[in-house]
Amino acid sequence: MTDTRISAPAVDKGFIRRAVELADLNAVRVALFQLTDDAELAAMPPAAGLDEQTRERLISKAVAWLEEEAGPRQLPEPPEAELRRLMNMATGEEMPDLEFHARKDLPAFKDFPWMTDWTDGKRDLPEGFQVVIVGSGFSGIAMGVQLEILGIPYVILERRQEPGGTWNVNRYPDVRVDTISITYEYSFEKNYPWSEYFGRGAEVRKYLDFIAKKYGTHENTLFGHDLKRATFIESDSTWSLEVDTPDGTKSLSANMLVNAVGTFANPKIPSFEEQEMFEGTIVHPARWPEDLDLTGKRVAVIGNGSTGVQLLSPVAASAEQVFVFQRTPQWISPRDRYGKPVEPEVRWLLDNFPGYWNWWHYMAIAGLFQTHRLLILDEEWKAQGGKVNPANDKLRDDLKAYITAQTDGRQDLIDKLVPDYAPFSRRAVVDNGWYRALTRDNVQLVTDGIARLTPKGIETDDGTVHEVDIIVTATGYDVIKYLWPADYVGVGGLNLHEFWSKDGPRAYLGMLVPNFPNMFTIYGPNSQAVSGGSALPSWYVIWSAYTAQCIVRAIEHGKTRVEVKEAAYQRYNDALDEESKNLLIMKQEGAPEKNYYVNEFGRLQVNVPWYGPEYHRLCTEIEWEDIDIS
Ligand code: NAP
């Protein structure tokens, strides 16, 4: 890895003070308390409630401590009661048991938070035992690291030539994480030196490559290997895999199969009427040509999801003219420090203030602890004229004010940009200067429907032809086609995609499907948490650890077959459907018909509806009664 740390900055009192002022003061206070036991720190309120004098006192104490004691070391995990006290201190709220158990690994003091270990030392494995993981993106690497820890042989099949999954595929302008990098990383790798607060795509690729090499998954990856068909062999409870490779089709056998193929694996390429007539270039962001030069070009950007919003500013900065085709307005919100480099002072603090990384990691996620309340309708509030509930309506007002400010109050734009459904009912889109870009002279927002393509451009329903050279179809992914297009054949010749054809993909906890023994899916159907605060990389580890618990238990009991009971799968999915109905996402106010996380059968498909800490409990305290091990 090339170290992006700033070498030896001149560290004087002013530098340290700037570092503390730029830092998360809740994290500073808790880390300092952990180091000093200073009762005055414990008595202070969280940063938002600090008066000027107390804030200054906190900063001075931190600066004074750092002047004397700063240095690179990691703190051990405090005993559980102390950890809980520190966590409560960080947010200023007492935490019930459910929440504590879901969050206690977020400060990540352990070497490998959440991961599974053997109950009583490593067991001998059956001869030739092998796990096959499909995909080497974030989730496949997490699963690989989990198996490395256990010492269980595995191989990762990756159809591309490098690890990274969706981060390897997407190379469009300004692609970057829209969740702050300190939470969009594995917590077993402490304090990775991100150069920006929200890592760019290339840096995320570099990070995943670094992790894969450091933790050993890279050398267990077969690149250029594309799974085509997986068949369960009942006689010996293994999976027989047919894999396309550069040397032709290969067969592989797996005792356990772990799908880690991601949700954003298949770009959704639209087909407009008379598309073949268009004489220009059509580009999906997931297939962005490295040498695409937009200088002086007329460009259409179709779509205003996370991708279309992320790429508009750089596209508008180089193209001559841009038409932005918006079908459905989105709630697009700003993020603090988005696009900003991590200052040398903050880098120094992360490296030299023990515990600061851990508590910043915790606090960066704590901001999401209360989000579930945004999703629950308050009927009393509505009866008094409210739209959803006080918190959601407040968010709506804030975002409307943001749109007004960003568009300089242009009513023609505001009328088109403010959605008629509630915020937080679709996946949040982060502003990368999208609203500002719409105010540029060379950018035009088009809200008429697309009727057809013509040789020269795009014709809208009102008959206008918008002449363009390049059409960027930021039209998303087939997020609801899980494990597609490979074929999976389970017990009795059952085809997985046929099994799912009734009302879309389903699984138990998002991971297990009956009649598909020894098969696990990471980030499977209904698994993306709607609330509660754990970023996706933590979930990849949690699902990997669940999978590992099942595999370890089978080995420790001398068994070869693990599967979810049909009744448990049914019970879980019935409850899931019921719970989904309570969420804003599935209510009229949340416009489920416009939500691509809801499938064609009107079912919530991508998200899991449970309150985050409850889903965490389900994924960490395994209900062994639901699982058959034989
Ligand atoms: P998306 O959220 O599905 O958005 C697709 C956009 O294309 C929507 O505006 C949609 O309009 C429009 N569209 C689709 N088909 C169309 C058609 N035939 N005619 C006109 N408009 C059409 O896709 P995305 O922006 O690629 O994002 C996909 C997922 O990737 C997101 O949920 C996000 O999780 C993830 N993502 C993450 C990041 C990040 O973390 N940095 C960046 C990019 C993407 P409608 O709304 O009317 O359907």
Side-chain angles (χ1 to χ4, degrees):
M1 176 183 58
T2 323
D3 198 338
T4 52
R5 289 164 210 236
I6 306 295
S7 54
V11 180
D12 55 19
K13 188 168 183 171
F15 180 93
I16 297 176
R17 191 179 167 91
R18 281 197 305 283
V20 176
E21 283 176 344
L22 284 165
D24 180 311
L25 284 183
N26 291 310
V28 167
R29 186 169 63 92
V30 180
L32 193 59
F33 177 76
Q34 195 178 348
L35 291 159
T36 61
D37 239 351
D38 176 345
E40 193 186 345
L41 294 168
M44 287 179 183
L50 285 177
D51 59 43
E52 207 32 60
Q53 203 184 349
T54 321
R55 183 175 180 275
E56 179 50 39
R57 185 101 187 104
L58 169 59
I59 293 173
S60 311
K61 276 176 182 274
V63 172
W65 188 91
L66 287 161
E67 275 187 296
E68 293 299 319
E69 309 277 347
R73 66 188 158 101
Q74 243 179 258
L75 297 183
E77 181 163 56
E80 196 159 292
E82 180 58 15
L83 179 65
R84 187 166 182 160
R85 179 169 175 230
L86 295 171
M87 287 163 68
N88 287 338
M89 193 194 291
T91 54
E93 279 172 17
E94 287 291 316
M95 212 174 332
D97 287 351
L98 177 73
E99 282 79 355
F100 173 65
H101 287 293
R103 296 170 185 161
K104 66 182 181 188
D105 276 347
L106 292 176
F109 286 105
K110 292 189 180 76
D111 288 345
F112 290 94
W114 295 293
M115 284 199 174
T116 292
D117 206 346
W118 298 95
T119 316
D120 193 14
K122 190 185 166 193
R123 295 297 180 91
D124 287 338
L125 300 170
E127 174 127 11
F129 188 92
Q130 170 168 268
V131 179
V132 172
I133 302 168
V134 188
S136 72
F138 253 105
S139 52
I141 292 174
M143 188 69 222
V145 174
Q146 168 67 84
L147 293 173
E148 289 280 344
I149 290 169
L150 292 167
I152 295 179
Y154 68 95
V155 65
I156 302 180
L157 308 180
E158 168 54 55
R159 63 183 170 186
R160 297 174 69 80
Q161 295 302 331
E162 294 167 327
T166 192
W167 292 104
N168 195 279
V169 171
N170 281 288
R171 293 165 188 242
Y172 58 82
D174 260 15
V175 57
R176 68 169 77 230
V177 297
D178 59 13
T179 305
I180 192 162
S181 283
I182 187 151
T183 67
Y184 204 85
E185 62 178 6
Y186 302 112
S187 36
F188 56 79
E189 174 62 29
K190 318 295 178 194
N191 193 15
Y192 184 81
W194 296 105
S195 63
E196 295 190 39
Y197 282 95
F198 292 76
R200 290 174 185 269
E203 195 168 15
V204 179
R205 281 207 304 280
K206 197 172 92 177
Y207 168 75
L208 287 171
D209 191 62
F210 161 72
I211 296 285
K213 287 176 178 151
K214 174 170 174 180
Y215 291 90
T217 66
H218 197 277
E219 63 190 69
N220 284 325
T221 306
L222 297 172
F223 293 101
H225 280 56
D226 190 0
L227 176 72
K228 290 294 168 198
R229 191 176 171 86
T231 308
F232 186 66
I233 309 296
E234 293 181 49
S235 56
D236 64 357
S237 299
T238 59
W239 282 91
S240 166
L241 310 175
E242 227 177 83
V243 182
D244 264 4
T245 79
D247 307 318
T249 305
K250 246 196 216 173
S251 289
L252 281 170
S253 175
N255 298 80
M256 300 283 167
L257 176 63
V258 184
N259 298 301
V261 297
T263 302
F264 306 110
N266 301 302
K268 208 192 294 171
I269 314 274
S271 83
F272 297 106
E273 266 184 53
E274 296 172 43
Q275 189 156 320
E276 65 292 348
M277 306 288 285
F278 180 59
E279 291 166 359
T281 307
I282 300 180
V283 174
H284 191 284
R287 308 269 184 274
W288 196 270
E290 210 177 326
D291 55 356
L292 188 66
D293 183 5
L294 300 176
T295 318
K297 296 284 193 312
R298 297 161 306 169
V299 181
V301 176
I302 301 177
N304 55 331
S306 298
T307 306
V309 166
Q310 214 162 38
L311 60 74
L312 178 64
S313 289
V315 166
S318 48
E320 180 190 300
Q321 169 75 42
V322 183
F323 298 99
V324 176
F325 288 84
Q326 170 191 278
R327 192 165 63 178
T328 310
Q330 293 265 18
W331 289 109
I332 303 170
S333 47
R335 287 284 180 279
D336 186 31
R337 305 191 190 196
Y338 186 84
K340 299 278 188 297
V342 175
E343 302 83 353
E345 289 88 343
V346 171
R347 182 72 265 149
W348 177 86
L349 198 71
L350 284 161
D351 293 342
N352 292 287
F353 186 8
Y356 178 67
W357 175 83
N358 305 81
W359 290 109
W360 184 30
H361 191 258
Y362 184 72
M363 285 312 301
I365 294 173
L368 300 171
F369 285 170
Q370 304 299 335
T371 44
H372 205 79
R373 67 197 169 120
L374 292 167
L375 290 167
I376 306 297
L377 265 68
D378 178 339
E379 293 304 333
E380 246 177 65
W381 175 257
K382 284 183 63 190
Q384 292 161 21
K387 289 190 184 310
V388 175
N389 62 40
N392 194 293
D393 287 10
K394 160 96 172 55
L395 178 62
R396 182 192 301 249
D397 290 344
D398 291 350
L399 292 177
K400 272 163 73 172
Y402 179 69
I403 295 172
T404 304
Q406 292 296 304
T407 56
D408 300 328
R410 269 183 53 187
Q411 203 56 47
D412 61 319
L413 286 175
I414 295 168
D415 289 345
K416 292 175 176 172
L417 293 173
V418 174
D420 59 3
Y421 57 88
F424 216 66
S425 54
R426 302 174 105 191
R427 200 246 188 209
V429 176
V430 172
D431 195 15
N432 183 27
W434 190 78
Y435 290 123
R436 288 307 294 164
L438 294 180
T439 66
R440 292 174 64 113
D441 290 342
N442 68 333
V443 177
Q444 187 187 329
L445 178 65
V446 182
T447 53
D448 293 306
I450 297 173
R452 64 184 59 77
L453 301 197
T454 71
K456 298 285 172 220
I458 297 178
E459 185 179 327
T460 41
D461 290 336
D462 63 347
T464 309
V465 175
H466 305 270
E467 292 199 0
V468 291
D469 308 299
I470 295 168
I471 299 176
V472 176
T473 54
T475 46
Y477 296 81
D478 267 326
V479 284
I480 56 185
K481 278 188 172 165
Y482 284 86
L483 308 190
W484 183 264
D487 243 334
Y488 293 79
V489 182
V491 172
L494 184 65
N495 181 295
L496 183 64
H497 297 300
E498 269 171 43
F499 176 61
W500 278 344
S501 63
K502 187 172 145 258
D503 60 2
R506 288 180 179 275
Y508 171 85
L509 297 177
M511 290 183 271
L512 296 164
V513 183
N515 293 309
F516 291 82
N518 298 352
M519 183 179 101
F520 303 85
T521 298
I522 304 205
Y523 203 6
N526 292 108
S527 63
Q528 184 166 303
V530 282
S531 66
S534 282
L536 266 173
S538 300
W539 280 109
Y540 299 138
V541 172
I542 292 164
W543 295 316
S544 298
Y546 181 101
T547 300
Q549 279 204 56
C550 292
I551 296 173
V552 161
R553 192 171 173 101
I555 294 169
E556 289 182 344
H557 287 76
K559 309 289 186 191
T560 57
R561 183 166 159 153
V562 183
E563 62 198 304
V564 63
K565 292 178 184 164
E566 201 135 4
Y569 166 88
Q570 201 53 52
R571 187 200 73 228
Y572 177 81
N573 275 284
D574 289 347
L576 184 141
D577 288 347
E578 274 309 302
E579 186 68 20
S580 304
K581 289 182 197 154
N582 297 326
L583 296 184
L584 170 67
I585 304 172
M586 300 305 287
K587 302 270 191 193
Q588 188 202 339
E589 290 82 348
E593 71 286 356
K594 293 178 181 166
N595 191 335
Y596 53 95
Y597 281 7
V598 174
N599 73 14
E600 70 211 270
F601 305 98
R603 276 190 50 233
L604 186 62
Q605 178 67 91
V606 175
N607 299 115
V608 63
W610 322 117
Y611 171 48
E614 175 59 14
Y615 182 51
H616 186 279
R617 187 188 67 76
L618 294 170
C619 291
T620 48
E621 293 171 19
I622 299 191
E623 194 58 74
W624 290 113
E625 300 255 296
D626 290 350
I627 313 288
D628 247 340
I629 301 196
S630 56

